[in-house]
Amino acid sequence: MTTIGSALNAFEAAKEIEEYVIEIRRDLHLHPEIGMQGVRTMKVVTDELEKLGITYEIVPNGGIIGTICGEQEGKSLILRADLDALPMQEAETNLKGKKTVVSLNDDAAHTCGHDGHTAMLLGAAKILSENKDKLKGKVILVFEQGEEIGKGIFALVNRLVEIGADGVWGIHLKSDVPAGRISVDAGPRMSSAFGFKAQITGKSGHGSRPDLAVSPLDCFTDFYTHLKAMRLTSLDPFKTTTYSIGSISSGSAWNVIPDTLEFSGTVRYLHYDQGVLAEQELRRLLEKTCELHRCSYQFLHEPKAVDLLVYNPADCAAIAQNAVTKAIGSHALYTYPAWMASESFAFYQKYFPGVFAFVGIENEEKGTGAEHHNAHFDIDEDVLKLGVAATVQYTLDFLGSEQEVAFTPEQRSVKDLFQAMGY
């Protein structure tokens, strides 16, 4: 049985079960499942929870919620991990050589780190469940399905709001943070985002007489030029916003000017007001450019700014920084700017105050550090015990603290919130 209590014991307990965590991570990595297909993955988790004597419920189209009750009454804390892989083929090598373990499925791969997230949470669950006598309050374990496609989050958050909790904690392995370092900074951690898809309609014609046609491609290139200038002409330079076009489709023959062109992209931002402004400008630029080029347009997926920033409140971040220092040492703390990717963890933080931690996996010697969603992505497994230790210590400190976290939860129902966010 693992033991916890004083400053370094969370780390010592994590070291004791390091092989257990790595074994689970490797098993999940060998057998990845995408989207909501995670039948095997879900069974791995529920089998482990049963072995640990942890009660759980399966939330349809959501995931798994387990519960560990301490022997003393107190607050409750959600610990969250995600389960799904990506629909892609994994390379056998990382940035330096052969990987320790490679997916057996050519159509799916854990190239974002969710296998590590799940393994770390099960490791923390093992420690906490074996030490319930030292635990004040309740731990709610959450294993989310379909994070990459945003499909499991609604059912899970809806159920968690029914259950109720005082806080939330989550981890994301981070490819460009040095292995052994952990960022639990206060403030923006991951961006809000919205996607868009539009069709521009012109007039088809023969390539020999472009004057008799109305090219949607000419219209798009002009629009794209103005869109690129939006950052300089319309958006606040002190409030980070990024945007990009990810796909363009038009025409099928060399000598035919097509009728239509479709394009899609995303906008990401750390300040909601800039997201609203970017949406308005995108719409205005497309309307005016189409008017100038005698084209029409329609949105196939409407741009809609949403307020879904992953944000660590200062008081929760302070608890986390102290927890990392106690469990691992102050040398492990790492300051990292906001990551401009987006995460469903933002939905949890609408209702529960908490921390999203970045655990570094970049190790040049081991060849880990390829970007997330890259075929060469790999993790330094030595850091998994650090994530477990930080999770355990944050749990103990948050539940054991008498401090009230300054937080105003979202007042709308989960259904109303998701409808407002376009889900």
Side-chain angles (χ1 to χ4, degrees):
M1 177 181 288
T2 54
T3 56
I4 55 180
S6 59
L8 292 177
N9 281 349
F11 180 67
E12 292 300 322
K15 279 177 61 179
E16 288 180 28
I17 63 162
E18 181 177 17
E19 289 186 12
Y20 168 82
V21 174
I22 291 174
E23 182 181 346
I24 290 174
R25 181 261 163 176
R26 291 183 181 181
D27 178 71
L28 295 175
H29 195 90
L30 284 169
H31 306 282
E33 295 174 298
I34 62 174
M36 307 298 285
Q37 301 173 6
V39 175
R40 184 187 185 279
T41 305
M42 294 269 284
K43 189 172 189 311
V44 169
V45 172
T46 55
D47 283 352
E48 291 304 317
L49 295 178
E50 288 174 7
K51 290 176 188 176
L52 296 171
I54 297 173
T55 59
Y56 66 87
E57 64 175 287
I58 294 177
V59 179
N61 299 313
I64 303 162
I65 297 177
T67 304
I68 303 171
C69 293
E71 293 192 2
Q72 304 174 58
E73 292 293 321
K75 295 187 288 189
S76 58
L77 176 67
I78 298 166
L79 306 179
R80 175 266 196 174
D82 34 20
L83 299 171
D84 56 326
L86 288 156
M88 61 184 289
Q89 184 165 358
E90 181 178 18
E92 294 186 358
T93 58
N94 58 26
L95 297 179
K96 189 169 183 178
K98 290 201 66 133
K99 296 179 180 178
T100 303
V101 61
V102 180
S103 170
L104 297 176
N105 184 348
D106 288 343
D107 300 319
H110 272 294
T111 50
C112 195
H114 295 188
D115 51 340
H117 303 167
T118 299
M120 286 187 290
L121 182 50
L122 284 172
K126 180 175 175 62
I127 294 171
L128 293 167
S129 65
E130 292 177 353
N131 292 272
K132 288 184 288 190
D133 59 318
K134 303 180 182 69
L135 191 62
K136 182 179 181 181
K138 181 168 67 174
V139 177
I140 302 169
L141 309 167
V142 175
F143 299 86
E144 180 183 334
Q145 288 183 286
E147 187 277 331
E148 295 287 357
I149 57 173
K151 292 296 185 181
I153 184 64
F154 173 78
L156 272 182
V157 171
N158 190 61
R159 180 68 184 117
L160 289 168
V161 170
E162 290 175 349
I163 295 170
D166 298 291
V168 64
W169 163 272
I171 281 179
H172 206 303
L173 297 172
K174 193 70 177 73
S175 66
D176 57 350
V177 172
R181 309 294 296 278
I182 301 177
S183 166
V184 284
D185 302 271
R189 296 289 79 211
M190 295 184 73
S191 72
S192 290
F194 66 83
F196 56 87
K197 183 176 183 179
Q199 181 183 80
I200 297 174
T201 301
K203 179 183 177 183
S204 182
H206 196 282
S208 66
R209 291 296 305 270
D211 59 305
L212 299 179
V214 178
S215 171
L217 181 58
D218 289 346
C219 180
F220 172 78
T221 55
D222 194 13
F223 162 75
Y224 186 56
T225 298
H226 286 91
L227 185 69
K228 289 197 296 181
M230 181 170 70
R231 183 179 291 106
L232 297 175
T233 59
S234 304
L235 300 179
D236 189 333
F238 301 104
K239 295 181 176 180
T240 305
T241 306
T242 66
Y243 45 91
S244 58
I245 301 296
S247 71
I248 306 171
S249 176
S250 184
S252 59
W254 290 10
N255 60 346
V256 178
I257 296 170
D259 272 318
T260 62
L261 177 147
E262 290 184 7
F263 66 94
S264 62
T266 58
V267 177
R268 301 173 187 274
Y269 44 93
L270 299 180
H271 300 83
Y272 177 56
D273 64 327
Q274 291 299 284
V276 172
L277 185 56
E279 177 200 330
Q280 293 171 345
E281 279 298 288
L282 188 152
R283 291 178 181 275
R284 186 184 70 83
L285 290 173
L286 185 57
E287 178 183 354
K288 296 302 181 184
T289 307
C290 285
E291 183 181 318
L292 179 64
H293 285 267
R294 295 176 293 131
C295 289
S296 61
Y297 74 93
Q298 63 174 320
F299 281 110
L300 306 177
H301 180 89
E302 293 276 345
K304 180 177 176 56
V306 296
D307 185 11
L308 280 174
L309 181 69
V310 175
Y311 186 95
N312 291 348
D315 39 11
C316 291
I319 296 171
Q321 288 162 4
N322 289 332
V324 171
T325 299
K326 281 197 288 187
I328 305 166
S330 60
H331 65 277
L333 289 173
Y334 188 80
T335 298
Y336 187 86
W339 186 9
M340 292 306 291
S342 302
E343 239 281 352
S344 63
F345 194 78
F347 282 107
Y348 298 86
Q349 290 183 315
K350 283 287 184 182
Y351 296 95
F352 314 105
V355 170
F356 202 49
F358 297 148
V359 175
I361 56 173
E362 183 182 36
N363 187 321
E364 184 177 353
E365 184 178 333
K366 295 182 179 180
T368 59
E371 185 54 83
H372 298 262
H373 296 209
N374 183 297
H376 299 281
F377 175 87
D378 196 10
I379 73 173
D380 179 355
E381 293 179 325
D382 288 344
V383 312
L384 297 177
K385 63 179 175 292
L386 305 183
V388 172
T391 300
V392 169
Q393 193 65 58
Y394 184 83
T395 301
L396 296 174
D397 291 355
F398 182 88
L399 294 180
S401 173
E402 300 298 328
Q403 174 187 341
E404 289 294 326
V405 174
F407 180 75
T408 303
E410 178 64 48
Q411 296 302 308
R412 288 178 288 189
S413 71
V414 176
K415 180 179 179 180
D416 289 343
L417 172 66
F418 274 72
Q419 286 180 342
M421 298 300 176
Y423 281 75

